Amino acid sequence: MRPQHGPAALSAGNGDVLSSEPGVFHLDPLKAFKVNASVHRIMYRTTDRSGKAIAVTGTVLNPGTSPYGQRPIVAFAPGTQGLADKCAPSRQLAEGTEYEALPIKKLLDQGYAVVVTDYQGLGTPGVHTYMAREAQGRAVLDSVRAAQRLDTVDLPDAGPVALYGYSQGGGATASAAELAPVYAPELKIKGAVVGAPPADMNKVAGSMDGSAYGAFFNYALSGLATSYGIDIDPYLTAHGKRVTNDLRDNLCTTQALAKYPFLNSRFLTVDGRPLTERLQRAPWDKIVAEQQLGKRKPVVPVLLSHSALDDVVPQQVGRNLAADWCRRGATVRFAGNHLPGHIVATEATSAEGLPWLKDRFAGRTAPSTC
């Protein structure tokens, strides 16, 4: 897809489609299983953390048949893909390497149209702003607007919408639900499925650094540094710079976790101290605080799914987010489970999320555990 980043292209409104092209959705790398849906890769306008207009890419998928007269659109916020451009979901869906292909297909099987954002800097110039709350939430909301406005796909301009995401996608979905009343009040959002959200960066960073998922902490440092215009090179040794650049430029999630298992930031820094310590000091303490979820009230019902055996995002982080939203008067159902590990627990979010979404689109009263 030819990038469009000039002032003329970005003078349009948020969610306007800048370009589109036909695409394809394969379930496997051998491309033996092609999903029955119309697929369009799009570039659309959104805004970054500072409010600057940017172009991001994404994918609009429309199933062949649907029981709905006015077809709902589900904004699927992807989980951690990596930082390299080749990791963009729009590219991985086509290549059959997208690890969240099955949850996306299950939504299509329900008759929903699905739009999957690539987020800022993932598939477009610049470093992906991984874990930047506002940029991720805006990219999700503007992906819905883009799907509604895409001329080549016959979707309702003002039909029912839902938000769905797990892990990084859970955080992006939570952010979108919080931002929607002000940023996209016209969207008819019926509910949000939020799985294992990394709602508290301090707690999540502490559990990730040095763990089997240590590369994720490095992603977050790179993403937030990019979002706030901070150069992290002075913190890093030559080895630390090599690892960070490798993660940014070459590796998607599964490759990164295999190449850099138990990555500990103290082995990358000039002073030999873990970067988690730096998060407690200026300017990082303020940056981390600005990513906190739960300070704003979603006006749509939320299903928050989180395993007690999550080995990446502690379940207490999800429980705290649900409690914060409840205190603000939101309608929240907290759904705990005991599936072993962060990756396996995606199944619980899907298993509970699909019937929950069906009820929201049917207009039934949302349950609450508040």
Side-chain angles (χ1 to χ4, degrees):
M1 177 176 294
R2 185 181 300 275
Q4 297 187 20
H5 297 283
L10 292 178
S11 64
N14 288 330
D16 278 358
V17 178
L18 304 176
S19 62
S20 68
E21 63 185 18
V24 66
F25 177 13
H26 289 110
L27 291 178
D28 66 301
L30 297 178
K31 301 180 180 179
F33 299 97
K34 180 180 175 182
V35 174
N36 180 26
S38 73
V39 181
H40 289 83
R41 185 165 180 246
I42 61 170
M43 180 174 286
Y44 65 96
R45 182 196 194 270
T46 185
T47 53
D48 68 6
R49 179 195 64 82
S50 66
K52 177 185 175 183
I54 57 171
V56 300
T57 48
T59 308
V60 178
L61 306 108
N62 198 23
T65 59
S66 175
Y68 295 93
Q70 196 174 42
R71 184 167 298 187
I73 300 173
V74 176
F76 187 95
T80 302
Q81 307 287 311
L83 301 184
D85 284 344
K86 68 178 183 179
C87 308
S90 62
R91 301 186 185 191
Q92 297 207 75
L93 288 168
E95 293 300 318
T97 55
E98 176 51 61
Y99 71 87
E100 291 188 295
L102 286 179
I104 293 171
K105 183 180 182 297
K106 287 178 181 179
L107 291 167
L108 292 170
D109 290 344
Q110 298 296 309
Y112 310 142
V114 178
V115 58
V116 185
T117 182
D118 288 341
Y119 300 124
Q120 179 183 359
L122 194 55
T124 47
V127 177
H128 168 40
T129 52
Y130 183 78
M131 296 304 296
R133 176 184 59 81
E134 286 184 285
Q136 291 184 164
R138 290 170 179 174
V140 170
L141 294 171
D142 285 325
S143 75
V144 176
R145 288 167 161 162
Q148 292 175 336
R149 298 171 191 174
L150 184 60
D151 291 337
T152 50
V153 177
D154 185 21
L155 293 174
D157 293 341
V161 172
L163 313 173
Y164 185 112
Y166 185 88
S167 190
Q168 179 192 4
T173 296
S175 173
E178 290 184 347
L179 293 173
V182 173
Y183 188 79
E186 83 283 3
L187 295 180
K188 295 180 172 60
I189 303 174
K190 302 302 182 182
V193 176
V194 174
D200 185 328
M201 278 290 298
N202 274 318
K203 289 186 172 61
V204 175
S207 69
M208 282 195 302
D209 193 24
S211 76
Y213 299 88
F216 289 6
F217 175 68
N218 192 285
Y219 288 169
L221 193 74
S222 291
L224 292 176
T226 297
S227 188
Y228 285 80
I230 296 174
D231 180 9
I232 63 171
D233 277 359
Y235 306 158
L236 304 174
T237 62
H239 171 65
K241 292 173 187 176
R242 283 194 297 271
V243 171
T244 298
N245 289 334
D246 197 21
L247 290 170
R248 287 182 182 180
D249 300 334
N250 303 315
L251 307 174
C252 299
T253 294
T254 53
Q255 301 161 327
L257 296 180
K259 187 172 182 178
Y260 297 109
F262 304 103
L263 184 64
N264 193 313
S265 65
R266 68 187 177 92
F267 297 121
L268 309 179
T269 59
V270 173
D271 60 9
R273 295 180 179 180
L275 287 166
T276 47
E277 288 187 14
R278 194 170 290 275
L279 298 184
Q280 313 300 322
R281 306 197 301 271
W284 290 98
D285 54 348
K286 182 179 178 182
I287 290 173
V288 168
E290 288 180 0
Q291 312 319 310
Q292 185 84 23
L293 295 164
K295 296 179 179 179
R296 304 149 198 87
K297 175 189 172 182
V299 297
V300 300
V302 179
L303 170 67
L304 203 162
S305 170
H306 208 149
S307 173
L309 303 178
D310 194 316
D311 54 348
V312 177
V313 182
Q315 190 196 53
Q316 192 60 49
V317 171
R319 287 189 176 276
N320 290 346
L321 176 59
D324 288 341
W325 279 342
C326 286
R327 280 192 290 270
R328 296 183 183 279
T331 300
V332 184
R333 169 172 166 72
F334 182 84
N337 64 80
H338 287 81
L339 288 185
H342 186 73
I343 295 173
V344 174
T346 59
E347 179 55 35
T349 298
S350 180
E352 184 141 17
L354 289 178
W356 187 88
L357 280 179
K358 186 175 181 179
D359 284 346
R360 302 294 74 71
F361 286 131
R364 299 185 180 97
T365 301
S368 176
T369 53
C370 291

